[in-house]
Amino acid sequence: QVDLVQSGAEAKKPGASVKLSCQASGGKSLVKYGIHWVRQAPGQSLEWMGWVNAGNGDTKYSQKFQGRVTITRDTSATTAYMELSSLRSEDTAVYYCARAFGTVMAVMDVWGKGTTVSVSA
Amino acid sequence: DIQMTQSPSSLSASVGDRVTITCRASQSLGIFLNWYRHKPGQAPEVLIYSASTLQSGVPPRFSASGSGSEFTLTISSLQPEDFATYYCQQGYNSAGPTFGPGTKVEMK
């Protein structure tokens, strides 16, 4: 069973960017999978941000974050990244990565423990 | 965009109770509906996928049904670890998934 190991907490100022990572444990390959990024702001529901096909690098983004989010993976398909720019206080949230076998529509069956991002002046 | 709603938004229950949560979508999803449990401070975990298929390792006290635009999740006998928030999620739209607003199950 693979675990997804996420990078540590970040504290950023408004207007800055943040780049988070999500690595498969043991260097396992995610080539057959997609990686979603989902966030949860305090007191809010889960919110989908985007997805990358770890095999070929194709991406899909939520319209809400289009232009502000970039999701990539390394060519060894063991790590995915999510970069969010022009941060504002409303971006304060826990950010999760989650694995899905196949397309963007597939179920998210393995989740990382989350990375807390705090945005404050 | 496909809009998801859940009812109730919260409920109070005791260990051993039977609990049912409803999820509705703004359009038909077929059976492309998944259920997740989210305990505070932990990662969400999938319970049910494709509307009614129990994820491997999930206890059989969880069951779900539905198709089209109305779905239900049932916990037959609530256990202490089930006090959490439950989310439905549509996997029908190729533009990307959408989660419901959540149902918080609290201890009575």
Side-chain angles (χ1 to χ4, degrees):
Chain A
Q1 170 71 348
V2 70
D3 291 324
L4 297 178
V5 181
Q6 296 191 233
S7 49
E10 300 268 8
K12 295 290 183 181
K13 294 195 181 305
S17 296
V18 69
K19 187 172 184 177
L20 309 181
S21 67
C22 171
Q23 182 175 31
S25 60
K28 291 189 173 70
S29 174
L30 296 167
V31 70
K32 294 181 180 178
Y33 298 91
I35 297 292
H36 293 271
W37 288 88
V38 175
R39 77 178 188 181
Q40 185 174 43
Q44 301 299 308
S45 178
L46 300 170
E47 181 175 37
W48 180 73
M49 300 180 68
W51 166 92
V52 62
N53 180 322
N56 62 17
D58 285 350
T59 54
K60 278 189 187 289
Y61 299 123
S62 165
Q63 271 200 310
K64 175 175 178 177
F65 299 98
Q66 193 86 32
R68 223 168 45 101
V69 69
T70 304
I71 299 175
T72 56
R73 92 303 184 212
D74 66 5
T75 51
S76 66
T78 60
T79 305
Y81 303 90
M82 189 283 295
E83 184 169 21
L84 187 62
S85 62
S86 302
L87 290 169
R88 33 211 190 229
S89 59
E90 309 89 89
D91 294 317
T92 293
V94 178
Y95 290 75
Y96 296 99
C97 63
R99 185 189 79 170
F101 181 76
T103 73
V104 68
M105 299 150 76
V107 64
M108 302 175 206
D109 67 339
V110 177
W111 292 65
K113 295 188 188 309
T115 296
T116 298
V117 175
S118 301
V119 183
S120 171
Chain B
D1 278 10
I2 299 176
Q3 307 302 319
M4 308 296 294
T5 60
Q6 289 182 234
S7 60
S9 56
S10 65
L11 64 90
S12 297
S14 301
V15 172
D17 284 354
R18 183 182 182 88
V19 167
T20 298
I21 298 167
T22 299
C23 174
R24 292 184 176 88
S26 59
Q27 66 179 76
S28 177
L29 307 177
I31 60 166
F32 292 101
L33 189 285
N34 309 312
W35 289 97
Y36 298 85
R37 176 176 64 181
H38 192 193
K39 301 175 192 175
Q42 298 189 24
E45 52 185 327
V46 61
L47 302 172
I48 302 282
Y49 63 93
S50 299
S52 62
T53 303
L54 196 66
Q55 172 73 355
S56 174
V58 173
R61 64 179 181 272
F62 292 96
S63 64
S65 64
S67 64
S69 62
E70 187 161 330
F71 303 85
T72 59
L73 172 71
T74 299
I75 309 171
S76 61
S77 177
L78 200 65
Q79 298 301 300
E81 60 268 31
D82 299 332
F83 293 103
T85 301
Y86 293 81
Y87 295 95
C88 59
Q89 173 246 316
Q90 65 82 11
Y92 177 86
N93 190 345
S94 61
T98 314
F99 292 89
T103 295
K104 187 172 185 179
V105 176
E106 299 174 301
M107 192 177 301
K108 187 181 290 184

